[in-house]
């Protein structure tokens, strides 16, 4: 009987009390093809860990366009071909300005980079680096993102 109660708690009751994931959009900026393919990572402002450019959805923009805007603001991607369909998503915990933590899911949109700007809105706050998808998978903390990069 206790296993039935436990199953009911985990599958029915507990999910009713959990907040849904907050949605973000991310740009998987890349260049090259095949063995020469590289992805662009940036450091986060708070912890300095390696991430994809990402952020919250934006009024007046669809998810892919918001991901492109994040790529501009955080990595200086000023020209590129954007895929309007996400290639996957990953999950992570985001520390909020209020001190709390929110569970987030980020939809990932590929963006083939044609040109990077030297000056961009967050240039003084972030470092950017081109690496192979396999190396990027080792650099990021999120397990789902790591797998997505390996599959890319």
């Amino acid at each position: 009987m206790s296993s039935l109660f436990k199953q009911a708690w985990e599958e029915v009751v507990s999910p009713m009390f959990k907040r849904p994931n907050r949605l973000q959009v991310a740009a998987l900026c890349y260049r090259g093809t095949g063995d020469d393919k590289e992805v662009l990572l940036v450091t986060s402002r708070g912890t300095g860990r390696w991430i994809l450019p990402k952020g919250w959805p934006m009024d007046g923009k669809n998810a892919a366009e918001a991901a492109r805007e994040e790529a501009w603001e955080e990595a200086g991607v000023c020209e590129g071909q954007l895929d309007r369909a996400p290639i996957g998503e990953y999950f992570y915990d985001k520390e909020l300005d209020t001190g709390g933590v929110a569970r987030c899911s980020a939809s990932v949109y590929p963006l083939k980079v044609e040109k990077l700007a030297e000056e961009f809105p967050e240039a003084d706050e972030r470092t950017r680096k081109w690496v192979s998808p396999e190396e990027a998978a080792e650099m990021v903390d999120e397990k789902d993102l790591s797998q997505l990069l390996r599959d890319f």
Side-chain angles (χ1 to χ4, degrees):
M1 186 67 160
S2 67
S3 66
L4 183 59
F5 177 75
K6 182 179 177 185
Q7 181 180 1
W9 176 262
E10 290 174 353
E11 295 178 10
V12 179
V13 179
S14 180
M16 291 191 309
F17 294 103
K18 291 182 180 177
R19 288 189 168 174
N21 293 336
R22 290 188 172 186
L23 302 177
Q24 288 205 308
V25 295
L28 177 50
C29 305
Y30 71 97
R31 66 183 179 189
T33 59
D35 290 341
D36 294 330
K37 186 183 289 184
E38 293 181 307
V39 298
L40 184 63
L41 296 181
V42 298
T43 54
S44 67
R45 288 189 294 189
T47 63
R49 59 192 177 81
W50 292 103
I51 61 170
L52 296 181
K54 67 181 180 319
W56 304 110
M58 300 174 184
D59 288 338
K61 294 182 187 279
N62 65 36
E65 292 165 345
R68 178 196 298 272
E69 181 66 23
E70 293 298 336
W72 159 246
E73 292 175 6
E74 297 182 4
V77 176
C78 56
E79 291 181 28
Q81 296 176 353
L82 178 68
D83 193 331
R84 299 212 174 261
I87 59 167
E89 68 179 336
Y90 66 97
F91 302 89
Y92 67 100
D93 292 325
K94 179 173 182 63
E95 292 183 28
L96 302 174
D97 294 339
T98 60
V101 175
R103 185 73 175 156
C104 293
S105 99
S107 295
V108 179
Y109 295 84
L111 175 57
K112 185 171 186 178
V113 176
E114 296 169 357
K115 186 176 178 183
L116 286 178
E118 290 300 318
E119 298 288 329
F120 54 97
E122 298 180 15
D124 294 336
E125 302 172 68
R126 299 180 187 272
T127 300
R128 59 186 179 187
K129 185 174 186 178
W130 286 106
V131 295
S132 71
E134 184 63 35
E135 187 177 354
E138 296 296 323
M139 294 169 68
V140 299
D141 291 342
E142 300 81 10
K143 185 177 80 169
D144 299 332
L145 176 55
S146 181
Q147 187 60 52
L148 194 144
L149 289 163
R150 283 188 175 90
D151 293 343
F152 187 68

